[in-house]
Amino acid sequence: MPEIGPIGWIIVGFLAGALSGFVFKNRTARGCLPNILIGILGGLIGGYLSENVFHTTGPNTWFGALIVAFFGAVIIRFLIGMTERR
């Protein structure tokens, strides 16, 4: 299976941002564009963590990439939520 690469992480990030929006409905970025940006960042961060911190070869399927990007987006939303608390 070909490597997903940075562009693949960005594409998967679009979907991951939308899915992570369901987890944090009442907090953090609202709307289509913020969800997309968080998903892209989540995909990049999730991919980085997967390959460099956990020393895996990365996911071998698009579904695996979606899972990694989803968890990256959830981490970003959690951090944003912590900084926005009053």
Side-chain angles (χ1 to χ4, degrees), residues 81-86:
M82 286 182 61
T83 61
E84 289 183 348
R85 293 184 192 225
R86 294 178 180 103

Side-chain angles (χ1 to χ4, degrees), residues 4-14 16-17 36-53 59 65-76:
I4 294 174
I7 300 298
W9 285 113
I10 290 172
I11 293 169
V12 169
F14 288 126
I36 290 171
L37 293 176
I38 286 177
I40 291 171
L41 288 174
L44 294 173
I45 289 174
Y48 174 81
L49 290 175
S50 173
E51 293 177 4
N52 296 321
V53 175
L66 178 63
I67 297 297
V68 169
F70 171 75
F71 283 117
V74 167
I75 290 169
I76 291 172

